Amino acid sequence: MVNVIVELSKYVILTLMVVYTFHCFYMVKQQSEEERNESLRQQLMLIFFMDFTAFLVIYLKTGKFQVVTFYAEMMAFFAGIQILYRLLYKKASILLLNNMCMLLSVGFIILCRLDVATATRQLIIVTAVNLVALAVPVLIRKMKFLKDLTWLYAGVGILLLGAVLVLARTSYGAKLSLMGIQPSEAIKITFVFFMAALLRRGADFRTVVQATIVAGLHVGILVLSRDLGSAVIFFTAYLVMVYVATKNVGYLALGLGGGAAGSVIAYHLFGHVRQRVSAWKDPMAVYQNEGYQIVQSLFAIGTGGWFGMGLCQGSPEKIPVVKNDFIFSAICEELGGIFGICLILVCMSFFLMIVNIALKIKKPFYKLIALGLGTEYAFQVFLTIGGATKFIPMTGVTLPLVSYGGSSVASTVLMLAIIQGLYILREDEDEEIERQRRKEAAQRAGKTAEAQGSGNF
């Protein structure tokens, strides 16, 4: 009986995910506020039923009561964060909030299936960070001086990355963390704030040179620490923000050429890079060593097929570091390739929402922040999934909100809180413009009525 439930559950979970993904893009076309609110409510129900089905299967297969406890705690967290955002921020983007909950749900399902203790730690971190993040939209709106802290952002970022380079121990071939915290995750935010503050008043040659020097220091220290995934994310954010600020294709071409040259230099300087490229080119040739991870990842994805093996039916634990770098492979093995494609589309929807928010913001500082954070999010998703599927060499970065990792999930939650703040700020601006328009229209109508009254007299 349990096997029948497990087999049916994978089709139920897949159907719910497909419908949720459809809603993410369908709401773009909706004009009616009532229709939009109904779709948002349906999204919440889809998340609820997907979580219920998944955790029921995990409990039936494992028999661990800790799974039930974790499920209750997780649902309490989701209910709490949904209620608090609606109470505190009437103008918050509920679609952005729903997408965050969906991605966290997928991560919690897979982490709980792998190890309940790990999932519990992730839930504690997510809960604590979200409680802090609830204050961020207010701070974005009230702290007008953020745009004036240009060089403070740069100094803090370079100092912390330098500390990691000097003091951190090497783990998996790279220096990543100090006392269990990965500073590069937080510096992703300060770096974007630095670039936005520097480029907000214009982007002449001198300003671009300053931005390039500081970005080069960030990326250079990360390369020396062999944290190449973060280095690529920082470089991409720099390139996009400079291009948006200057509209100069020459800078973009020069940056791409410099990045390509830097990649070649890194390949010849670091054996760590050569190993990953070798594993990417022909993982079976180096299966016993550096190719083992990617081969196991591809086996898992291939084994899952389109519809997956079903929760607790696969062997994702055979993939080294599966909870961090290769969680997408575990998802595809047990929930299916179609589920994995839907997950990518939800991430894409997330990015497009952020870009849409950025395009509607009028102040350059806030516009550049939204674009920078959106670029970092999208490129991190690309690096993680691209590495797990052998589309690009593995870089060792996590899948935002899905993979296990305290620093990663904390920085992503704070990024989304900043985006929520910018969304609310944009809504306030639109409301003020509409109020001013109505005031001017009323004044014109009053003058017209006055003129007509004078003419009649």
Side-chain angles (χ1 to χ4, degrees):
M1 184 63 182
V2 172
N3 290 334
V4 174
I5 294 174
V6 172
E7 185 66 21
L8 291 175
S9 70
K10 67 182 185 182
Y11 297 106
V12 173
I13 293 171
L14 178 59
T15 302
L16 293 171
M17 186 62 170
V18 169
V19 176
Y20 182 92
T21 306
F22 171 77
H23 273 285
C24 287
F25 292 92
Y26 175 69
M27 275 191 284
V28 176
K29 294 184 177 181
Q30 291 179 328
Q31 301 297 325
S32 168
E33 188 68 22
E34 185 178 344
E35 287 183 353
R36 186 176 180 82
N37 289 336
E38 179 59 28
S39 289
L40 292 170
R41 283 192 292 270
Q42 289 176 12
Q43 279 190 324
L44 284 177
M45 294 304 297
L46 291 167
I47 295 172
F48 170 78
F49 283 118
M50 187 184 79
D51 287 340
F52 177 80
T53 305
F55 281 94
L56 175 63
V57 170
I58 295 172
Y59 173 69
L60 291 175
K61 291 294 292 184
T62 62
K64 296 180 179 178
F65 189 73
Q66 296 97 312
V67 173
V68 179
T69 304
F70 176 82
Y71 171 73
E73 293 169 346
M74 182 191 71
M75 295 310 294
F77 161 72
F78 285 144
I81 201 67
Q82 289 279 347
I83 292 170
L84 285 172
Y85 259 103
R86 283 170 166 81
L87 289 176
L88 296 175
Y89 303 110
K90 304 295 184 184
K91 300 175 184 175
S93 171
I94 303 302
L95 179 57
L96 198 67
L97 182 63
N98 286 354
N99 281 352
M100 181 186 79
C101 292
M102 170 54 86
L103 293 175
L104 286 172
S105 289
V106 175
F108 286 142
I109 289 168
I110 296 299
L111 290 175
C112 189
R113 176 263 179 269
L114 292 168
D115 180 27
V116 181
T118 299
T120 302
R121 287 195 296 271
Q122 182 89 328
L123 179 59
I124 292 171
I125 294 168
V126 167
T127 303
V129 175
N130 267 284
L131 290 175
V132 174
L134 280 170
V136 170
V138 173
L139 298 179
I140 292 294
R141 187 170 52 183
K142 299 293 184 182
M143 298 171 69
K144 305 296 184 183
F145 60 86
L146 290 174
K147 62 183 180 298
D148 301 320
L149 304 178
T150 309
W151 298 107
L152 178 62
Y153 300 133
V156 168
I158 293 170
L159 184 64
L160 287 176
L161 290 179
V164 173
L165 175 63
V166 175
L167 302 175
R169 294 181 179 180
T170 301
S171 175
Y172 297 106
K175 293 183 176 182
L176 301 174
S177 60
L178 286 173
M179 297 180 291
I181 299 173
Q182 195 169 340
S184 62
E185 293 292 341
I187 298 167
K188 287 177 186 175
I189 298 175
T190 61
F191 178 73
V192 166
F193 271 72
F194 160 74
M195 293 291 296
L198 186 65
L199 298 171
R200 67 187 173 89
R201 292 181 178 174
D204 55 17
F205 181 74
R206 181 173 178 271
T207 304
V208 172
V209 169
Q210 290 176 334
T212 303
I213 292 172
V214 175
L217 288 172
H218 279 78
V219 173
I221 296 172
L222 286 167
V223 169
L224 292 175
S225 301
R226 299 186 181 183
D227 187 2
L228 302 179
S230 295
V232 173
I233 292 171
F234 276 65
F235 176 74
T236 305
Y238 152 79
L239 207 58
V240 169
M241 294 178 76
V242 167
Y243 174 69
V244 170
T246 62
K247 308 293 190 299
N248 191 327
V249 180
Y251 288 139
L252 182 62
L254 192 63
L256 291 173
S263 300
V264 173
I265 293 171
Y267 175 83
H268 289 287
L269 285 180
F270 302 110
H272 182 59
V273 178
R274 290 194 294 274
Q275 288 178 353
R276 293 197 172 184
V277 172
S278 175
W280 168 66
K281 289 170 63 178
D282 188 1
M284 291 302 296
V286 287
Y287 172 70
Q288 296 298 330
N289 298 302
E290 55 266 25
Y292 182 77
Q293 269 185 316
I294 187 63
V295 169
Q296 290 298 325
S297 172
L298 295 175
F299 281 164
I301 295 171
T303 301
W306 289 114
F307 301 102
M309 299 287 291
L311 284 169
C312 302
Q313 297 288 90
S315 304
E317 61 278 354
K318 290 184 179 180
I319 309 172
V321 205
V322 64
K323 292 179 286 188
N324 306 86
D325 301 354
F326 286 90
I327 199 165
F328 183 76
S329 306
I331 291 169
C332 289
E333 180 178 11
E334 299 208 331
L335 298 177
I338 297 176
F339 190 98
I341 293 170
C342 289
L343 182 64
I344 295 171
L345 291 174
V346 171
C347 293
M348 186 186 300
S349 167
F350 226 151
F351 172 64
L352 293 176
M353 284 180 61
I354 296 173
V355 171
N356 185 51
I357 291 169
L359 293 176
K360 292 182 179 179
I361 295 174
K362 295 177 176 58
K363 295 180 180 178
F365 176 64
Y366 297 121
K367 180 187 290 288
L368 287 169
I369 287 176
L371 283 172
L373 295 178
T375 299
E376 288 183 339
Y377 170 80
F379 207 72
Q380 185 166 338
V381 171
F382 169 74
L383 290 178
T384 307
I385 296 176
T389 56
K390 197 183 161 298
F391 184 73
I392 58 172
M394 193 63 200
T395 55
V397 297
T398 55
L399 186 58
L401 299 177
V402 181
S403 296
Y404 175 70
S407 301
S408 174
V409 75
S411 69
T412 306
V413 168
L414 290 174
M415 282 183 182
L416 296 177
I418 294 169
I419 298 297
Q420 283 283 16
L422 297 178
Y423 180 85
I424 295 168
L425 193 67
R426 192 205 75 186
E427 291 292 301
D428 288 339
E429 288 178 351
D430 290 346
E431 192 176 271
E432 181 61 30
I433 291 171
E434 181 63 21
R435 189 183 300 115
Q436 188 65 29
R437 188 188 66 79
R438 290 178 180 176
K439 183 179 178 181
E440 291 174 356
Q443 289 175 347
R444 286 196 299 270
K447 290 179 181 179
T448 302
E450 184 181 343
Q452 288 175 348
S454 300
N456 292 335
F457 178 74

